[in-house]
Amino acid sequence: MIDAVGNPKNLLLLGGTSDIALAIARRYAETSKPKVIIAARPGARRDAAVAEVEGYGLATQVIDFDAAVEGSAESAVRDAFTAGDVDVAVVAYGVLGDNENDWTDPLAARRLAEINYASAVEVGVLLSNAMKTQGHGRIVALSSAAGERARRSNFVYGSSKAGFDAFYTGLTYALADYGIKVLVVRPGFVKSKMTKGLKPAPLATTPDAVADQVVDAVRAGKEQIWSPKLFQLVMLVLKLVPRPIFRKLPF
């Protein structure tokens, strides 16, 4: 159970090699000692993530999870909850893709959509059912500001995040009667492994900054945050820009 000051006993990271997910574990380690369940594909990155989390003084459990493999999500969530109640589950996986390839290659486009959206929906349903059974829990869904309005430079990725965002926003309503809260997180450009080599966009943030907001928001019982907070205003303005002008903007 989450304690009186908002610290989880068991923290599940689906996409446990994510820089933001690891930063969330690091933030919790500053005030408590949750067990961290790292669900990710086997390999050097997962090994490094486990070593990093254990370096914070936290116990770990490792579970195989590959969003591109049928049945992997079901077995991963089952194994995570079999070991005990999951207080906070972070849905932190996804692929950025290559927009110029993805919008012309049907297989690449489908793979991105299946990982970022279809698999995430499956995971959301699985987490919801498991948390309803245990009677409590928090879901943190890492969405993206890219889903707010399609841009020429990343509209394939943005479209998948738009669907992701709509689904997890809907879960905030559907799970409210069960006492389970869902936090939808909408970061802008995050300086991380996923964006390595890309030019940072204005208001670029860091995994640690996002993690700080996430942990505070979970404790406050919030359902939606932007990171950084100013990005909400920026996107509100951009949504009002007429299409002929918006499509000419240099991003």
Side-chain angles (χ1 to χ4, degrees):
M1 296 286 288
I2 294 178
D3 66 22
V5 294
N7 294 315
K9 181 179 179 181
N10 292 313
L11 172 66
L12 170 60
L13 306 179
L14 284 149
T17 61
S18 155
D19 287 340
I20 297 176
L22 292 172
I24 291 171
R26 183 163 57 247
R27 173 67 189 276
Y28 276 122
E30 295 172 359
T31 56
S32 62
K33 295 295 180 183
K35 182 180 81 170
V36 180
I37 306 165
I38 298 176
R41 289 177 295 177
R45 283 184 60 180
R46 189 177 74 177
D47 293 343
V50 171
E52 181 175 336
V53 172
E54 290 179 346
Y56 308 148
L58 304 179
T60 61
Q61 175 186 349
V62 181
I63 292 175
D64 289 346
F65 171 58
D66 187 336
V69 176
E70 184 176 354
S72 181
E74 183 176 7
S75 62
V77 172
R78 182 186 63 242
D79 290 348
F81 282 80
T82 297
D85 286 2
V86 172
D87 303 311
V88 175
V90 182
V91 184
Y93 64 90
V95 291
L96 184 60
D98 178 345
N99 195 71
E100 293 311 295
N101 178 66
D102 294 337
W103 81 268
T104 57
D105 182 335
L107 293 180
R110 177 170 180 156
R111 177 179 180 275
L112 184 146
E114 287 180 343
I115 292 174
N116 289 1
Y117 176 66
S119 171
V121 168
E122 180 187 13
V123 163
V125 173
L126 291 165
L127 290 174
S128 297
N129 291 338
M131 287 185 175
K132 284 190 292 184
T133 297
Q134 72 180 15
H136 69 95
R138 301 287 186 270
I139 299 173
V140 176
L142 296 182
S143 183
S144 172
E148 279 293 286
R149 187 170 185 180
R151 295 184 291 132
R152 173 64 180 83
S153 62
N154 70 345
F155 68 87
V156 182
Y157 172 79
S159 69
S160 68
K161 282 301 186 179
F164 176 106
D165 195 287
F167 175 77
Y168 280 94
T169 296
L171 277 188
T172 66
Y173 314 139
L175 291 174
D177 291 341
Y178 297 92
I180 299 164
K181 291 186 178 296
V182 180
L183 172 65
V184 176
V185 184
R186 295 172 176 168
F189 188 101
V190 181
K191 300 175 184 177
S192 65
K193 290 190 292 286
M194 178 182 281
T195 59
K196 185 177 181 179
L198 300 178
K199 181 181 179 181
L203 298 178
T205 187
T206 65
D208 284 327
V210 178
D212 287 346
Q213 288 185 250
V214 166
V215 171
D216 290 344
V218 170
R219 287 173 176 160
K222 293 183 178 180
E223 295 182 344
Q224 181 189 100
I225 60 171
W226 295 76
S227 185
K229 294 179 181 180
L230 183 59
F231 225 96
Q232 181 174 11
L233 177 60
V234 172
M235 293 309 299
L236 177 61
V237 172
L238 288 177
K239 287 177 73 173
L240 297 175
V241 174
R243 284 175 58 90
I245 297 175
F246 183 83
R247 69 190 303 165
K248 294 179 180 179
L249 295 177
F251 53 69

